[in-house]
Amino acid sequence: MAVLIYHLKIIARMMKVFLILLWTANFIQPNTHQAAGVQVFPPVNFTLAVSALAQVLLQWKPNPNQEQKNYTIRYDVKILSPVPEQYDTKKTHSIRTAALHNGFSAHVRTLLLHNDLQMRSDWVKEKLLPPPGAPETSVTNLSCVTRISISSTVSLHCTWLPGQEAPEDTKYFLFYRYEMYTEECQNYIKDKWNRNTECRFSVTHIDPEEVDNLIVIHINGSSRYAAIKPFQQLFNQNAIEKVNVPRNVTVFLEQNDLLATWEKPISPFPKECFEYEFYLFNLKSGNKQILKIPVNDFRLRIDVTSRAKQTGEFHSLDSRCALCVHVLHVPACCYNMQNRARTCTTETETEFSSFAGDLCCNIRDDSVF
């Protein structure tokens, strides 16, 4: 009897193992390369090609051995470098914008979808090698800003430093790409070794009404003594906009009140996206006030009997003291315009001349950059 019970326990354990294996076969196997008699094959002819500055075209073809009846076929794409990213698509091609000076690497595989099942093939891998060039010869500290003009054109200004190992005879050349437009710089500023370290485009193809697009900057170079490694950087159009100064600023007296008015800067942002800071500086005492203002005008009460003080909605200042007034434009972060989220843009300051008894105030306009 004891022997029979022992054998029954062994059989029970074997049945438990069998059930676990059966469950594994039914529920886990559909996500492998073969399930329910259907094999998932990886794509074929996977290629990477540079189609524009900092732009890669990924292409592949469906595997001719892949069964398609009653199945939905999609493709899982994984970008490994320079910036990791993973997404799926039903197309057999994809375009990605990325800085390519350190190369580009990507994987793709087939996804077979049927009801609640998802089956995957092996990955197919491909990469682009970095462009040739000696180490530390590419530019460093690249910085760019854009500005919208009164004629609704956009200028572009970029500066950089030569690479630490770049020979003194190195000549750098800058290109920018915006959507399908590519243009080479024609206006350079040089350092003491006659190397290009600054570029200005007074007019570009950049759309002033767009703020979320990418601006691609590509800088290569040449030298008799070394191969200069190229460099690329992507800038969000909104992030590098140099905000214009407030327009039509006027300052005048109305009885005992000092009034200041202005218009919003030239910008695709509506007036609700702007905030202003009013700087009041007493040249006699050295004291200053900084007032945040959400509107386009300001009233200041002139008190001839007391020092600077705030009464109600008015700010009183000693009329015997000279004033220096600054208006600082600060875009609010953040409003939605055309249902798209915006990030903060650059602050810009406009300075007025000193204010004395005759209230003679002149606006000092900024240069282009």
Side-chain angles (χ1 to χ4, degrees), residues 253 255-258 282 284 300-309 315-323 355-359:
L253 277 176
Q255 295 181 351
N256 288 337
D257 293 337
L258 170 66
N282 189 315
K284 183 176 181 180
L300 191 72
R301 172 63 54 83
I302 301 298
D303 188 342
V304 298
T305 61
S306 64
R307 290 180 158 233
K309 61 182 179 180
H315 300 269
S316 301
L317 289 166
D318 186 347
S319 62
R320 295 167 295 177
C321 299
L323 301 175
F355 167 65
D358 59 357
L359 201 67

Side-chain angles (χ1 to χ4, degrees), residues 22-247:
L22 182 63
W23 179 86
T24 302
N26 287 335
F27 291 95
I28 297 179
Q29 188 172 341
N31 284 324
T32 61
H33 308 322
Q34 185 174 358
V38 178
Q39 190 170 357
V40 186
F41 293 94
V44 296
N45 298 339
F46 179 37
T47 60
L48 303 176
V50 178
S51 52
L53 288 181
Q55 181 174 284
V56 178
L57 173 62
L58 299 83
Q59 285 184 305
W60 58 89
K61 292 183 179 179
N63 194 302
N65 298 321
Q66 185 61 60
E67 180 182 347
Q68 301 185 26
K69 185 178 180 180
N70 298 326
Y71 290 92
T72 299
I73 295 181
R74 295 182 68 86
Y75 298 96
D76 192 10
V77 182
K78 181 189 291 186
I79 309 298
L80 300 182
S81 64
V83 179
E85 179 187 9
Q86 188 165 353
Y87 57 95
D88 66 89
T89 176
K90 64 180 180 180
K91 299 179 181 179
T92 57
H93 66 274
S94 179
I95 294 177
R96 279 298 179 264
T97 300
L100 302 178
H101 57 270
N102 287 325
F104 186 92
S105 177
H107 296 178
V108 64
R109 64 182 175 184
T110 304
L111 298 177
L112 212 59
L113 310 177
H114 180 65
N115 296 330
D116 294 332
L117 300 180
Q118 183 180 89
M119 296 165 281
R120 306 176 181 89
S121 73
D122 290 326
W123 290 104
V124 179
K125 307 174 183 179
E126 192 57 72
K127 64 180 179 180
L128 292 172
L129 295 177
E136 297 187 10
T137 57
S138 59
V139 301
T140 61
N141 291 31
L142 175 62
S143 175
C144 295
V145 295
T146 61
R147 196 167 216 169
I148 303 174
S149 71
I150 194 169
S151 59
S152 295
T153 60
V154 179
S155 59
L156 175 64
H157 177 214
C158 294
T159 62
W160 60 90
L161 295 177
Q164 291 185 357
E165 300 300 323
E168 291 184 5
D169 74 328
T170 300
K171 294 186 181 298
Y172 289 111
F173 306 99
L174 181 143
F175 302 76
Y176 86 89
R177 180 175 71 82
Y178 183 81
E179 296 182 333
M180 299 307 297
Y181 296 99
T182 300
E183 188 175 354
E184 181 180 359
C185 180
Q186 302 297 324
N187 183 15
Y188 291 104
I189 296 176
K190 303 177 183 295
D191 65 6
K192 63 181 180 180
W193 288 287
N194 204 35
R195 297 180 296 191
N196 298 334
T197 57
E198 192 171 338
C199 168
R200 295 176 184 268
F201 293 89
S202 58
V203 178
T204 65
H205 293 284
I206 298 171
D207 186 350
E209 298 299 323
E210 294 290 339
V211 293
D212 293 329
N213 289 350
L214 288 175
I215 300 172
V216 174
I217 302 297
H218 172 95
I219 302 179
N220 56 24
S222 64
S223 168
R224 291 176 296 174
Y225 305 106
I228 306 303
K229 189 174 180 63
F231 179 80
Q232 293 180 342
Q233 189 166 337
L234 310 180
F235 294 95
N236 185 286
Q237 180 177 341
N238 178 38
I240 64 172
E241 179 187 344
K242 181 75 172 180
V243 180
N244 286 296
V245 297
R247 295 177 295 162

Side-chain angles (χ1 to χ4, degrees), residues 147 242-251 279 324-329 348-355 360-369:
R147 196 167 216 169
K242 181 75 172 180
V243 180
N244 286 296
V245 297
R247 295 177 295 162
N248 299 330
V249 184
T250 60
V251 181
Y279 281 65
C324 184
V325 183
H326 301 261
V327 177
L328 180 67
H329 157 264
T348 299
E349 185 176 279
T350 302
E351 183 177 338
F352 297 95
S353 63
S354 299
F355 167 65
C360 178
C361 294
N362 297 316
I363 302 172
R364 188 185 71 188
D365 197 6
D366 284 359
S367 61
V368 176
F369 293 102

